[in-house]
Amino acid sequence: MIPFFLFVSLGSLFRFYEAKIRYALYLSLGTLIFLAIFSILLGAFSGMGAEIGGRGTDIAGNKGFFIGANEVGILLLILLIFVNRMRSDYIRIFLLLAICVCGVIVLTKSSLVASCFAAVFIVNRYVYVKFFLMLGFTLLFSFYWSTIFEQAIIFTTGTFFDLNQGIVQFLFRGRQVYMNAFFSGIDFDSYFNLIRLFFFGFGENFVADVIAKGIDIPVGRRSTFEADFLDLFFSYGLCFFILYISLVYVFVKNFFSSLYFLEKTVVSLILIHSVMAGHVIYSPLVTITIVLMYFYLSKNQKTTYDKI
């Protein structure tokens, strides 16, 4: 609800204090990108940051001082758009390189995508940087090719091992187990449950309880589907789901009008992540940042130096 009230409040004030609010948004987003990069780098190199494991390998990422893991990669993807709109070439290239490094440190699929897109943004803007990047990667690969190749195989096997268990299991990364537990724990032949699902949904706590019971996990570790649209549908019902998706459609349509091709691709990937792996709609960090970015880029703020 916080992002919703923030959206309404900014929308109301934007009509009267556009210049001041846009400057405040610039400072807020600038502070956020600095804190995100600082948190990841300090956490990783000081050893105080939290590690991210669970890939079935001994390779672990580091999320710095953030609580969530997937949210960090999504946050870096959103802030890429803000960095791309900065007027200073020096600050922009420094932050893009920092995002490249941070994405590799975090080492989730979403953060690695952020690193790749940061590199693409750099290559598309700066021809001279392209040469040095290619030279650096060539030298690095020349000296450490065997280690890089070995670690790449281990990481790929650990990250995408679900591919051997079917496309659904691969795409939803273990969430198929949650789905099976929930569907086997609810009697959908009951008219009461169908009416409940249509109008009200089952509620987040009930969904999490059914899943926890189905896969026999402790109550303290219970979870919903962690796929935003499934969570919305089964927790709040079909009516609310249709209303919410309609609002999301209008929001994304207006947001796209102020974006360039690569930026639209970034937002599209965030939406895909929301469907398959969650941590977007249900993450205050992500949704609040998206709302701030929406108003910062409103009024079609495209300029000649932004074309990418």
Side-chain angles (χ1 to χ4, degrees), residues 6 24 33 44-45 50 53 58 118 131 158-159 175 234 241 243 251 298 307:
L6 179 63
I33 183 66
F45 292 110
D58 57 353
F131 170 76
T159 303
R175 288 164 179 82
F234 288 105
F241 178 79
L243 174 63
F251 178 88
S298 63
K307 291 185 177 179

Side-chain angles (χ1 to χ4, degrees), residues 189-211:
D189 292 330
S190 167
Y191 287 109
F192 173 76
N193 284 336
L194 291 177
I195 293 173
R196 185 180 176 185
L197 178 62
F198 184 86
F199 288 105
F200 310 108
F202 296 105
E204 289 183 34
N205 288 330
F206 182 80
V207 170
D209 286 339
V210 172
I211 292 175

Side-chain angles (χ1 to χ4, degrees), residues 77-189:
L77 278 169
I78 301 169
L79 292 175
L80 266 178
I81 300 174
F82 172 72
V83 173
N84 186 51
R85 298 302 183 96
M86 287 185 165
R87 294 178 180 272
S88 171
D89 281 338
Y90 297 107
I91 296 177
R92 187 191 303 119
I93 194 170
F94 170 77
L95 291 177
L96 287 174
L97 288 171
I99 290 175
C100 280
V101 174
C102 288
V104 174
I105 290 174
V106 176
L107 210 62
T108 62
K109 289 192 282 290
S110 56
S111 71
L112 291 175
V113 170
S115 292
C116 293
F117 268 89
V120 171
F121 276 49
I122 293 173
V123 168
N124 274 274
R125 278 185 177 277
Y126 309 103
V127 178
Y128 62 91
V129 176
K130 184 189 302 185
F131 170 76
F132 288 108
L133 279 176
M134 292 179 64
L135 178 62
F137 282 125
T138 302
L139 291 174
L140 182 66
F141 190 79
S142 299
F143 287 106
Y144 300 102
W145 67 270
S146 59
T147 302
I148 293 173
F149 186 70
E150 178 184 354
Q151 294 300 319
I153 292 177
I154 295 174
F155 177 76
T156 303
T157 304
T159 303
F160 301 111
F161 68 92
D162 288 332
L163 183 58
N164 296 324
Q165 303 178 25
I167 189 65
V168 175
Q169 184 80 345
F170 168 68
L171 290 176
F172 288 93
R173 181 65 176 171
R175 288 164 179 82
Q176 181 67 24
V177 177
Y178 291 1
M179 297 178 197
N180 293 337
F182 180 77
F183 292 137
S184 61
I186 297 291
D187 180 14
F188 285 101
D189 292 330

